[in-house]
Amino acid sequence: MQDLLDTEIKYLQGVGPKRAELLNKELNIFTYRDLLYFFPYKYIDRSRIYKINELDQELPFIQIKGVIKGYYTEGRGSGKRLVADFQDDTGSIKLVWFKGTKWIMQSYVPNAEYIVFGKPGIFNGVVNIIHPEIEAAEKIAQRISSAFQAQYSTTETLKNHFLTSRAVSKLLGNLFRQINFRLPETLPDYILSKYKLAGLHEALFKIHFPSNAADVEKAGYRLKFEELFYIQLNLIRYKNNRARKQRGFIFSNVGENFNNFYFNNLPFKLTEAQKRVMKEIRKDLGSGKQMNRLLQGDVGSGKTLVALMSMLIAIDNGYQACIMAPTEILAGQHYYTVTNMLQGLNINVRLLTGSSKRSLRSEISDSLIDSSLNILIGTHALIEENVRFSNLGLVVIDEQHRFGVEQRAKLWKKNLNPPHVLVMTATPIPRTLAMTLYGDLDVSVIDELPPGRKPIMTMHFFDSERNKVYGFLRERISEGKQVFVVYPLIKESEKMDYKDLEDGWDNMSRVFPSPDYCISVVHGKMTPAVKEESMKLFKEGKAHILIATTVIEVGVDIPNASVMVIESAERFGLSQLHQLRGRVGRGADQSYCILMTSGKLSKEAAARIEVMIRTNDGFEIAETDLQLRGPGDIEGTMQSGIPFDLKIADLGKDGQLIEYVRRIAEDILAKDPLLEQNQNLILSQEMNRLFSKRQSWSNIS
Ligand code: ADP
Ligand code: MG
């Protein structure tokens, strides 16, 4: 039967090679199964047949049953139309067509009984239906159909080839006939009964051919349950497997380096959240299992410090550690922070980036091999072939979303035994989404900012109010504060008229002329050396204003910069806006974020700006983002732990169900880790079918 579902769609009655090609191209339907899982986007209630004397223009789509009494034309030129008088035993209305009139007259003959479907309107005081759907009453009785009628979204091309929603429904009817109304179950009986789920066959049939809304509800629940359940089952099985197989280095001591740092160098008290997370990490490191932990914390929550202390534990146990960052600026920033914090300790820290000189590289190489190098900080350069550690014990990956899984995998392979891995991200992901995106990682959350931070004040100005903003900046600069100005692009968009960075720079230089003001510029097309120089100017407080593209988006830590101006803010997504805003508010001063936009905002852009003004809470912003955009955009699917598109479930809306099925999956695997029990046979078969071919992605993270 499984094989039957893999049959190419062209073999289905009513399809054939030509239509098959269209279905492939337009709807991604290649097999019987694809068609079966092509779900309707809405339903129309056709359970009731109205009488003509009940009709008025307030009614939605309705149907009536009667006969065509005759055709004639009305109007002239573009208003010329074909009209039919349509009658039942209570009265008569007009059916109206502006196009395809010849075909209509040939297809629907007077005095035969038809069901007419459409939205009633009124013209010159007479009820009419424009371009109605018509079907012979007896035909409806014959085909598989239902009163609660499924509507499928099809494309223009498909409609031009008569592959309308109704045609798709007919094909589905043919399909159910061909498989003889029997589909093999894909969930074990005990799950169906325990969680009160409809059988697969019933669910699939009812989702396409329901009799009422309750049918749709019940069918939809079963199908969503299954879709999310298998994803979680796969993630947890994978996680358990790894935990069983991969032995991890045991870091049993917290030694001299850690203690020295903690008692002598740590400039402030850890927040409660930092302490809790450190405990979680220490537990992992001492467990004998390989740590794979995601550290989530809003921007500015102090993740770097947690990374640093974890690395010190590695060093105390005789291992090396590294931090990998997505940009040179950020790697440089970490290097600066780490070396500063470790002053007076005998720890050898080095920075390796794409622009490191060859002599430095070979020096680093040597010291990696002879173990004299303790901490290596860098960019992608760390994963190049020729970088070899002698005993890499801990890998920290910062701002995780910038790295592909494959790049991470390369780091794994640098050791015979996989090092412990700490992945840090400031992209706040709602809990249930994290369960799916990072479902195979353990998650720690820093949900508290260091004390004394004042919430950033966010304001919105239109471009026309620019002068007000300049006045505000002048005041802040006169108080000794520094200002970021960020642009979405530099000369990348020809079509659209966005203020780009160069214009902005010209403009700012006029408003803030030297020698009174110093402006520094950073963008993606500069060489690393020039970039570094500009950053330094700003970091050392010599420049008042830093104009930048989104290169500063992640991680840059300059406490004295307390104003962030985001130009063309309507162009940025919510999480990006939040990240950018997080560059300020790091010192004790009141910080400001100014969102500049053009006068015309789309509904979504206005909603984004509104949320930014309303809250500083990254998680609330992420939830809103999820609702505004849907989860698809947040993280590429390949990275997300879902190797296929979701057909029916919605990561944004089905959060509760995700948690529910995750617990069920955990429970099942706790009792039967390899899914070997008889009752779980179906589960392992389904897992093979769903994941085996596409499993390679998940060998990694
Ligand atoms: P992020 O989580 O965004 O990477 P950072 O690690 O860069 O945040 O920390 C942001 C700032 O907060 C840094 O200047 C850091 O020194 C400071 N910081 C970190 N932890 C604390 C703490 N417990 N108390 C006070 N300041 C802290
Ligand atoms: Mg950081």
Side-chain angles (χ1 to χ4, degrees):
M1 185 49 120
Q2 288 298 354
D3 295 340
L4 182 56
L5 290 187
D6 288 325
T7 311
E8 284 178 61
I9 196 70
K10 69 177 172 202
Y11 297 115
L12 182 65
Q13 185 202 339
V15 180
K18 251 209 186 118
R19 285 183 136 192
E21 203 175 304
L22 284 164
L23 289 169
N24 294 172
K25 247 201 220 125
E26 300 287 315
L27 299 177
N28 256 326
I29 294 176
F30 293 88
T31 63
Y32 286 9
R33 179 183 284 104
D34 294 338
L35 179 62
L36 213 45
Y37 283 83
F38 180 63
F39 295 133
Y41 72 101
K42 68 168 185 185
Y43 298 86
I44 292 175
D45 187 357
R46 294 186 78 162
S47 58
R48 171 162 180 201
I49 291 181
Y50 279 76
K51 290 292 177 189
I52 285 178
N53 68 359
E54 296 176 289
L55 299 189
D56 64 50
Q57 60 183 347
E58 303 303 318
L59 287 170
F61 283 81
I62 48 83
Q63 56 188 346
I64 45 181
K65 189 168 165 184
V67 293
I68 290 171
K69 293 317 283 183
Y71 289 104
Y72 49 95
T73 52
E74 278 183 353
R76 233 180 258 133
S78 64
K80 190 173 167 192
R81 55 201 180 264
L82 176 69
V83 180
D85 286 325
F86 187 77
Q87 213 175 62
D88 70 4
D89 51 8
T90 68
S92 154
I93 62 160
K94 289 182 174 186
L95 308 180
V96 181
W97 295 269
F98 291 90
K99 286 190 305 194
T101 54
K102 211 168 139 198
W103 186 75
I104 295 292
M105 286 199 290
Q106 280 166 7
S107 310
Y108 306 111
V109 295
N111 294 319
E113 193 164 59
Y114 292 110
I115 301 277
V116 165
F117 180 74
K119 166 104 185 76
I122 284 198
F123 186 70
N124 283 344
V126 183
V127 177
N128 67 18
I129 296 180
I130 296 173
H131 285 198
E133 258 184 54
I134 303 184
E135 205 170 358
E138 69 197 64
K139 261 197 180 163
I140 288 186
Q142 279 164 16
R143 73 177 154 87
I144 298 179
S145 175
S146 62
F148 210 66
Q149 207 169 73
Q151 301 291 306
Y152 300 88
S153 54
T154 64
T155 62
E156 269 317 300
T157 316
L158 288 176
K159 281 179 197 140
N160 291 339
H161 291 81
F162 303 105
L163 275 165
T164 56
S165 172
R166 201 168 74 192
V168 170
S169 176
K170 272 188 195 166
L171 293 181
L172 275 156
N174 294 348
L175 178 54
F176 274 102
R177 252 188 232 111
Q178 176 146 2
I179 58 182
N180 212 5
F181 301 92
R182 272 200 323 265
L183 278 168
E185 185 49 61
T186 45
L187 287 172
D189 274 348
Y190 77 94
I191 292 185
L192 294 184
S193 60
K194 189 163 175 193
Y195 303 104
K196 302 194 171 52
L197 301 171
L200 179 66
H201 181 266
E202 188 193 345
L204 281 172
F205 186 73
K206 288 286 170 66
I207 201 103
H208 293 295
F209 300 105
S211 322
N212 50 46
D215 276 356
V216 175
E217 172 83 27
K218 186 148 193 258
Y221 181 73
R222 142 81 202 216
L223 295 167
K224 276 184 195 179
F225 182 106
E226 171 166 7
E227 192 166 49
L228 296 170
F229 170 75
Y230 274 110
I231 288 168
Q232 293 301 334
L233 194 67
N234 186 50
L235 287 167
I236 294 162
R237 180 180 67 165
Y238 176 70
K239 179 175 157 184
N240 292 352
N241 257 344
R242 188 180 53 206
R244 230 189 359 262
K245 282 197 206 130
Q246 312 270 54
R247 305 297 305 158
F249 305 121
I250 299 182
F251 296 173
S252 48
N253 335 330
V254 169
E256 195 186 349
N257 288 307
F258 183 93
N259 286 327
N260 258 340
F261 172 78
Y262 194 82
F263 294 108
N264 304 326
N265 285 33
L266 190 58
F268 29 63
K269 275 201 350 234
L270 295 183
T271 62
E272 287 308 310
Q274 282 170 322
K275 282 186 202 160
R276 188 187 62 234
V277 166
M278 272 317 292
K279 255 190 218 144
E280 288 165 357
I281 290 173
R282 277 187 52 189
K283 196 167 156 216
D284 282 359
L285 297 178
S287 72
K289 286 178 185 156
Q290 182 216 6
M291 174 171 80
N292 269 282
R293 191 167 277 280
L294 177 75
L295 175 56
Q296 265 188 283
D298 213 341
V299 281
S301 61
K303 296 185 293 291
T304 316
L305 191 58
V306 169
L308 177 59
M309 291 190 295
S310 309
M311 292 195 293
L312 291 174
I313 297 177
I315 296 166
D316 277 338
N317 287 275
Y319 290 92
Q320 295 168 313
C322 70
I323 303 184
M324 188 158 77
T327 63
E328 298 214 347
I329 287 184
L330 192 52
Q333 176 86 43
H334 279 315
Y335 179 71
Y336 176 86
T337 310
V338 168
T339 44
N340 253 342
M341 290 239 193
L342 293 181
Q343 264 171 34
L345 274 77
N346 186 21
I347 291 175
N348 187 4
V349 186
R350 283 311 177 95
L351 177 66
L352 178 71
T353 67
S355 54
S356 299
K357 297 252 156 42
R358 193 177 277 176
S359 56
L360 176 66
R361 280 170 187 261
S362 73
E363 195 191 310
I364 286 177
S365 257
D366 293 345
S367 58
L368 276 176
I369 296 298
D370 69 19
S371 301
S372 61
L373 183 53
N374 305 114
I375 295 177
L376 183 60
I377 296 175
T379 54
H380 298 75
L382 296 195
I383 55 183
E384 281 163 21
E385 288 297 322
N386 51 8
V387 180
R388 289 204 191 80
F389 294 81
S390 58
N391 56 352
L392 180 61
L394 172 67
V395 173
V396 178
I397 300 176
D398 195 13
E399 307 297 353
Q400 187 269 349
H401 56 296
R402 297 274 171 128
F403 282 106
V405 257
E406 304 201 339
Q407 292 169 323
R408 273 188 271 154
K410 284 195 184 164
L411 263 176
W412 271 231
K413 292 188 190 120
K414 291 205 168 286
N415 268 30
L416 226 50
N417 283 319
H420 296 295
V421 177
L422 183 64
V423 175
M424 306 197 292
T425 176
T427 309
I429 302 158
R431 232 171 67 80
T432 54
L433 187 58
M435 277 182 189
T436 310
L437 295 182
Y438 304 106
D440 66 322
L441 303 181
D442 295 305
V443 180
S444 287
V445 182
I446 305 188
D447 50 5
E448 181 190 359
L449 293 180
R453 298 265 175 88
K454 293 201 183 75
I456 301 163
M457 211 171 131
T458 302
M459 301 175 274
H460 171 215
F461 290 93
F462 293 110
D463 287 336
S464 54
E465 303 169 289
R466 204 163 271 285
N467 283 335
K468 262 195 236 169
V469 175
Y470 292 148
F472 180 81
L473 298 186
R474 227 175 260 121
E475 280 173 32
R476 299 287 82 72
I477 291 171
S478 73
E479 294 168 2
K481 302 290 146 38
Q482 289 172 286
V483 176
F484 289 112
V485 182
V486 179
Y487 289 85
L489 3 107
I490 41 163
K491 291 211 161 158
E492 274 166 353
S493 162
E494 309 287 347
K495 276 183 300 196
M496 286 177 255
D497 177 29
Y498 295 115
K499 271 213 129 347
D500 71 6
L501 179 130
E502 275 169 29
D503 281 358
W505 185 12
D506 278 357
N507 193 24
M508 290 296 275
S509 313
R510 247 175 283 123
V511 183
F512 298 94
S514 64
D516 294 349
Y517 296 95
C518 172
I519 301 179
S520 142
V521 182
V522 185
H523 59 72
K525 288 183 184 162
M526 287 175 157
T527 64
V530 176
K531 230 187 266 178
E532 183 56 34
E533 199 50 41
S534 300
M535 281 307 285
K536 213 172 132 204
L537 214 57
F538 192 64
K539 211 180 287 173
E540 289 172 354
K542 289 177 188 149
H544 303 103
I545 299 173
L546 179 73
I547 297 184
T549 53
T550 41
V551 286
I552 63 158
E553 181 190 339
V554 283
V556 173
D557 186 23
I558 299 171
N560 193 49
S562 59
V563 185
M564 166 66 65
V565 180
I566 304 178
E567 292 283 349
S568 302
E570 71 271 28
R571 291 270 299 141
F572 290 95
L574 256 183
S575 78
Q576 233 181 345
L577 288 173
H578 180 64
Q579 293 275 327
L580 284 169
R581 178 169 61 181
R583 298 308 109 217
V584 297
R586 301 196 154 210
D589 302 315
Q590 175 65 56
S591 295
Y592 303 91
C593 173
I594 297 175
L595 305 172
M596 302 293 304
T597 71
S598 67
K600 270 196 200 141
L601 291 182
S602 70
K603 224 170 84 194
E604 287 78 23
R608 290 196 294 270
I609 305 281
E610 187 272 322
V611 186
M612 287 294 292
I613 293 172
R614 175 159 50 90
T615 180
N616 275 297
D617 179 342
F619 282 86
E620 190 179 339
I621 288 171
E623 297 275 4
T624 310
D625 201 24
L626 195 56
Q627 280 151 20
L628 284 177
R629 302 196 302 167
D633 303 326
I634 288 187
E635 202 84 14
T637 320
M638 287 308 279
Q639 261 195 64
S640 74
I642 313 171
F644 45 75
D645 289 336
L646 292 177
K647 294 264 183 340
I648 189 163
D650 179 326
L651 295 184
K653 295 187 184 126
D654 294 323
Q656 271 190 329
L657 188 56
I658 293 175
E659 282 189 60
Y660 184 60
V661 299
R662 184 173 174 89
R663 279 198 302 274
I664 295 170
E666 275 168 351
D667 197 46
I668 290 172
L669 285 168
K671 291 185 191 128
D672 184 12
L674 300 176
L675 299 177
E676 294 167 321
Q677 292 170 8
N678 247 341
Q679 62 171 0
N680 288 331
L681 205 62
I682 291 184
L683 294 181
S684 61
Q685 280 169 356
E686 251 324 87
M687 295 272 275
N688 276 339
R689 190 181 69 74
L690 288 169
F691 299 104
S692 62
K693 278 186 224 111
R694 317 170 228 207
Q695 191 68 321
S696 54
W697 63 276
S698 74
N699 291 331
I700 305 166
S701 75

